[in-house]
Amino acid sequence: MLNLQLRIFKKIEDSGCVCLILSCIAISNAQSISGTVMAEGQPLPGATVLIKGTTKATSTDIDGKYIISASAQNVLVFSYIGYATKEVPVANKKQIDVVLETDNKLDEVVVIGYGAQRKSDLTGSVSSVSAKDITAVPVSRVDQALQGRASGVQVTQNSGAPGASTSIRVRGGNSITGSNEPLWVIDGIIVGNNYDLNNLNSNDIKSIEILKDASSIAIYGSRGANGVVLVTTKNGSGSGGGKPQVSAGVYTSTQLVPKRPKFLSQAEQIEYTNEDARFRGVAEPFPGDPSSYPDNDYFDLLLKPSPIFNADVSISGASENGNVTYYNSLNFFNQDGLIENSGIEKYIFRSNIDFKLSKKLKAGFRVNYSRIIQDNGVVDYGSLLNILPTQPIYNADGSYNGFNDVIGAPFNNPVATAKLDTDQTTSNNLLGTVYLEYTPIPNLIIRSTFNPDISNSKRNEFNSSQRPDFLSVGETGNAKVTAVSSFGWNNENTIQYSTQFNDKHDLTVLGGASFQKYTSEAFSAQAFGITTDAVGFNNLGLGTDPSRNIIASSYPNPFQLVSFFGRANYTYKDKYLLTLVGRYDGTSVFAQGNQWGFYPSIAGAWKVSEEDFMQDQNVFHDLKLRASYGQAGNQAIGAYATKAILVEANTTLNGIQQPGLTLGRPANPNLGWETTTSFDMALEASFLKGRIFTEFNYYHKKTTDLLLDVTIPRQTGFTSQLQNVGALQNKGWEFLLKSTNIQNSNFNWNSTLTLSSNKNKVLDLGGKQFIDVVVDQILGAGNLRIIKGETVPVFTGVRYLGTWKSQEEIDASGLASGTQVVGGPKFEDLNKDGIISNEDNVVLGSPFPDLIFGFENNISYKNFDLSFYFQGTVGNEVYNLRSRGNYFTRGENPKFAEIANRWTPDNPTSDVPRAGSDGVTAIPSNSKDVEDGSHLRLKNVRLAYNFPVDKMGFKGVKNMSVYVSGTNLLLLSNFRLIDPETSRFGKNGLGNIAQGFSNGEYPNAKVLSLGLNVTF
C-alpha cells in the first residue's frame, strides 16, 4: 500500500499538483490539540499558539485555553510578552498543557572577553548587535552596519567608495598621538585596530558585542583603552543532528547617483570669472557669448548608477550524536563604484568545525580566507569640484584636451584619466584559529588556542603616457608596484573553574597567559619614462628615465606582546555581584624598564528586583544597578619609536659632495604607556512584564601620560622630543530603550532607541596652551588646534564678518593699508594689531557631536516584515576644505550657487565677497569654512515576505523569503557638500585627530536592493 501511495504521489507531483497532494496529506493527518497555557500559577489569556514553520496560529481565551488543529509531525510554539517562548512536539498527544517561564531580557547570553555571561550577571557595560541587525543593511563591510546600533559608539563613514572603512570612537577618543580605534577580536583572535574588515562576510556573523567600560575591557589590558569589539561567527549548533542545513542568499542592488553641491550655472560662472579678471586687471578668459563655450557636466560624464551583486551559500549542521558541529560558507561580492574605474570584488570562504573527542576533550578550528580585488579609482570626486564647465573635454581634432587655458597650465582631464590609468590592489588574508579544550573534572575548563593571521597585498599603479596633461608638457608614463606582507600569531591559554556552595555563593575564576607576535614589511618600485601602454605596470624595466626611478623597502616592523591576566566573578544569592579583573602586559615597543604595565578593575552590581521588598510591586519587572572602576592602557607608538633614527645628510669634503648620515630625532628610552582610568555607573530596568527594557549609563574617563611631541632646547640639536606629558578626559551618558509595542499572533511591533553624548576635554599639554596641527599645506597651521580646556580637537580660525561696505569702514578698522577692499571679505582683527593672522583665531567648532542617535522599528504582519532605521547626529561641525576654492579665491574654480548674490556695485549690501577680492585680501581659516554637521539619515528600509512553504508544498524547503530594501534614502542636512558624514584624512595617522574634514569625498549612494533567502 505504501509503495502504491508513493507511486501515486510521484505521478501527481510530476503533473504539477504537488501543492494539492501536500494539502490533502496535511488535512488527513491533522488532529485537534487542546490545552491550557499557565504562567506564575495563573491562566494566561491572549498567549499565542503557533505551528512552527507556518503562519497557522491561535490565541488562548480568558481561561488560558486553546484549540488548534495540527499533525503529529508539527511542533507547537507557545509565546507571550514577557515570557520565554516554549516549543513542544505534537507527536501523538491530543492535550498539551504548558507553563511559560518569565522571559528576562537581562538573561540574554552575551559574549565577553574570554567567555560568555548572562546579561543579568554583567557588571560591565556591553552593547550587543545581533546577526539580524548586521544583515538588515546590505553593506560591504560589517563596521558600516554598526552605525547607531550601540549607544556610546560613534561610527563615521570615511567615504562612500566601495570597501571604504569607517572611523569608530567608543566613548570618545583617549589619545592624541596614538590610535583611537577600538580593538577588534574575531572568534577570540585579537586582530588589532587596523584589520581590514572587508575580509569578513557579514552573513557569517552570529553577534557583535562592544565592550565599553573598565570592567569589560580590562581583561584586554593595554589593548582595550579605546573599547573592544568582539565578533562571534556562526557554528553548526542548533542546526539539527545528522542532516545538514543549507542556506543560500542572493541580492542585487542599484546605486543611484546622489545629489551634488549646487554651483553657478555655466553662464553665471563665465560672468564671475570675467568679473574676477577685470578686477585683477587681466584679460577676460571668456570675451565671447557664453553659448559659444562648452557647458560640460563632468559629474554626469563620470558618475552613473552602478550595480552591486552578492551571493552567499552556507552548509551547517551536526553529526547524529552531536559530537561534530560544522559551519561552512562561501561568499561572492561585487560592487561597481559610482565613479568609473572604481569598485571592489571579494571572495570569502569560512569553515568553523568543532569536535567532541571524548567526554572531557574538545577541539576545533576556525578558518577565514579572503581574496579582494579593489579598483581604487583614478578619479577623485573632489577634483570634479575644481573643473569649470567651460573646460573642453576634447580638442578640435577629437583627441583629449589636456590644457587649461584659464590658468595656463596642464589639465588632468578626468574623462581621459578614467579610461587610461590604472590603480588596483589585490590582497589575500588567512585568519584562523585552532583550539583544544580539556575538562578534567566538572566545572574546570583548560583551553589553549593558536591563531595565525597571514596577509599579503600588491598594488599596481599605472599613469598612461597618453594622458593629455602629460602630452601637453612632453611627459611620459610611469608605473609603480607596491607589495606588503605581514604575518602574525597569537597564542591564548586559559584555565577556568566554576563552583557553587551553600546554594548562595557562585564563583567563577579565570586565569590566562597570552603571547602575540606580529611583523610586516613592504617594498615598492616606481619607473618613469614609459612610452608605451602595452604592458602597463607589468614591466617596470621599460622605464627610460633611471634618474627618476624610485626603489624603496622597509625593515620588518616587529611587534611582540606578552600578557598574564585573571578574572573572578562572584555572586551572592543571585542578587549581589562582584567582578575583579587584572592584566599584566609587556610590550616590545618600549625600552627596558618601561615595557610592563598592570591594568586592574573592580565592578559590582545589585539586582534590586530580586530583593524581598520588591516582590509585591508591579512597576519593575527587572531592576539592576551596577558600577565599575579601573584602568586600561595604550601603547600609542610603533616599533622603534623610543630610539633615535638616522637620516640622509650629505656633506662636502675637499670640494666633493659626499653621502652622510645624521640623527633625525632624539631617542627617549623613558617612554611608557598612556593610561586611561575610567568610572562607570548604570541602571538597567524592564517594565510591564518585560515589554519595555531600558538602560542608562554615565561614565568618566581620564587619560594621563599622553605621548606628545614636546619642545626642547635647541642646544640639544633638536626642536622637539616625544615624551609622556599631558592629560585629557571624556565624560558622558548613554541611553537605550527597547520596547515591544504590540505582540499577537498576526501583528508584532518592536522599537529600539539609542542616545548618547560624550564631552571631551584637554586637561594638560605638558605646559603648552595649544598645539597647532597642520592638515593642509596651502592653508598651513591655524585651522585645527588641540587647546587646553577644549575638545580634542577643535576647528579654529578668524571670524568672518561679511563684506566691507565702504572705504571709510576699512580706514576706520585699523587694518594695514592696501590689505582690504570694498566688497571684499571682512575678518575680525581680534587683538587689534592691524593684521589678520593666527593670533586672531577663535574656536569655531568641533567634529564631535553633542548627541548621537539611532531609532529602529521592526513590524511584522502575518507573512510580511517591515523595518526602518534612522540615525544621525546633533551639534557637530564639519570643516569644509572646498570653501577656499569654491567660495573665496579666483574665478578659475567653480563657485557655490550662493555666489550669484555676491557684492557688486549694484548689490552693495551683500555679505558674499566680490569676485577677485582675494587678490588683495589674504584668506585665512575662517568661520565660513566651518558648517553645521547635524543630520538625520534614513539609513535603511526593508520589506520582506516570508513564503508559507508548508502551504505551498515546497518539499525540503524550511524557510524562504524575498525582500526589497533601500539604503540612504533620505538625508536632512544643511551642509553645502551635501553629506556631512565624512573624514578627509581617514582613521589613521593624521586622521586619528583630524576628524570632520570634508574635501568633497566619494559620495554615499542611495542603494535599492532586491534579495532572496532560502534555507533547506
Side-chain angles (χ1 to χ4, degrees), residues 406-655:
V406 175
I407 63 174
F411 164 58
N412 185 350
N413 189 327
V415 177
T417 299
K419 298 291 186 183
L420 299 171
D421 286 0
T422 302
D423 186 351
Q424 187 179 83
T425 301
T426 301
S427 59
N428 298 274
N429 175 257
L430 177 66
L431 181 67
T433 183
V434 58
Y435 75 88
L436 192 65
E437 186 175 291
Y438 180 54
T439 307
I441 60 174
N443 301 323
L444 178 64
I445 302 173
I446 302 171
R447 183 183 176 95
S448 182
T449 66
F450 180 77
N451 317 117
D453 182 0
I454 307 170
S455 295
N456 65 74
S457 68
K458 180 171 177 278
R459 182 173 183 177
N460 300 315
E461 301 172 75
F462 177 67
N463 296 317
S464 169
S465 62
Q466 301 306 305
R467 264 179 40 178
D469 54 328
F470 285 6
L471 294 174
S472 69
V473 294
E475 178 65 271
T476 50
N478 62 82
K480 183 179 181 181
V481 176
T482 304
V484 180
S485 63
S486 65
F487 173 71
W489 58 264
N490 187 22
N491 172 228
E492 304 272 0
N493 305 278
T494 60
I495 180 169
Q496 177 178 294
Y497 180 69
S498 302
T499 185
Q500 184 181 66
F501 47 96
N502 296 336
D503 295 327
K504 297 180 180 180
H505 307 274
D506 289 274
L507 178 65
T508 299
V509 180
L510 171 78
S514 174
F515 308 92
Q516 187 173 15
K517 184 174 182 179
Y518 175 87
T519 184
S520 67
E521 55 185 318
F523 78 87
S524 66
Q526 186 170 12
F528 292 84
I530 299 176
T531 58
T532 176
D533 291 2
V535 294
F537 49 78
N538 289 308
N539 189 349
L540 298 182
L542 293 180
T544 59
D545 190 355
S547 64
R548 298 171 61 193
N549 292 349
I550 300 172
I551 299 176
S553 63
S554 67
Y555 189 83
N557 185 16
F559 161 74
Q560 297 180 65
L561 186 73
V562 176
S563 307
F564 303 94
F565 53 88
R567 179 175 61 213
N569 295 101
Y570 169 71
T571 303
Y572 176 66
K573 291 186 175 180
D574 198 29
K575 299 179 186 178
Y576 314 108
L577 301 94
L578 176 68
T579 300
L580 300 174
V581 181
R583 182 163 176 136
Y584 193 47
D585 281 331
T587 180
S588 61
V589 303
F590 294 127
Q592 289 187 359
N594 294 299
Q595 292 180 318
W596 292 89
F598 178 65
Y599 302 100
S601 78
I602 182 171
W606 176 27
K607 295 183 182 179
V608 183
S609 55
E610 298 299 314
E611 296 289 356
D612 293 339
F613 62 81
M614 294 288 290
Q615 301 311 305
D616 295 329
Q617 55 83 36
N618 297 315
V619 178
F620 295 103
H621 190 247
D622 299 290
L623 182 64
K624 185 174 77 168
L625 292 169
R626 56 176 173 79
S628 67
Y629 179 83
Q631 292 183 328
N634 192 350
Q635 299 173 56
I637 59 173
Y640 313 119
T642 63
K643 301 179 180 297
I645 61 171
L646 297 175
V647 295
E648 184 178 359
N650 297 334
T651 187
T652 300
L653 182 63
N654 296 327

Side-chain angles (χ1 to χ4, degrees), residues 34 109 111 254 292 334 349 420 486 673 749 841 871 908 916 969:
S34 62
V109 175
V111 177
T254 297
S292 65
N334 185 72
F349 167 74
L420 299 171
S486 65
W673 311 84
W749 175 24
N841 282 2
Q871 57 87 207
L969 296 182

Side-chain angles (χ1 to χ4, degrees), residues 198-234:
N198 280 309
N199 294 319
L200 295 181
N201 175 14
S202 297
N203 283 311
D204 288 341
I205 296 175
K206 180 180 179 182
S207 68
I208 292 179
E209 273 75 31
I210 304 173
L211 314 183
K212 299 181 290 186
D213 75 318
S215 175
S216 57
I217 66 177
I219 196 69
Y220 289 102
S222 65
R223 311 297 299 278
N226 299 321
V228 181
V229 182
L230 303 179
V231 178
T232 304
T233 60
K234 297 174 182 176

Side-chain angles (χ1 to χ4, degrees), residues 318-349:
S319 60
E320 290 187 4
N321 59 9
N323 287 339
V324 179
T325 59
Y326 55 90
Y327 174 87
N328 300 288
S329 72
L330 283 170
N331 171 239
F332 171 73
F333 178 89
N334 185 72
Q335 178 182 5
D336 288 342
L338 293 172
I339 302 179
E340 189 173 349
N341 215 350
S342 65
I344 188 171
E345 187 173 275
K346 304 196 294 183
Y347 304 84
I348 302 175
F349 167 74

Side-chain angles (χ1 to χ4, degrees), residues 3 51 87 192 237 250 325 343 362 456 508 542 578 639 755 924 998:
N3 291 334
I51 298 178
E87 297 184 4
S237 61
V250 61
T325 59
K362 291 174 59 178
N456 65 74
T508 299
L542 293 180
L578 176 68
L755 303 172
S998 178

Side-chain angles (χ1 to χ4, degrees), residues 671-708:
L671 293 180
W673 311 84
E674 294 182 346
T675 302
T676 299
T677 303
S678 58
F679 169 74
D680 176 274
M681 61 184 303
L683 173 68
E684 299 175 3
S686 62
F687 308 86
L688 302 178
K689 296 185 177 180
R691 198 162 183 156
I692 297 176
F693 172 77
T694 184
E695 180 179 337
F696 181 83
N697 282 265
Y698 170 80
Y699 61 87
H700 183 282
K701 300 192 297 181
K702 181 179 179 181
T703 303
T704 56
D705 294 328
L706 290 177
L707 286 157
L708 299 173

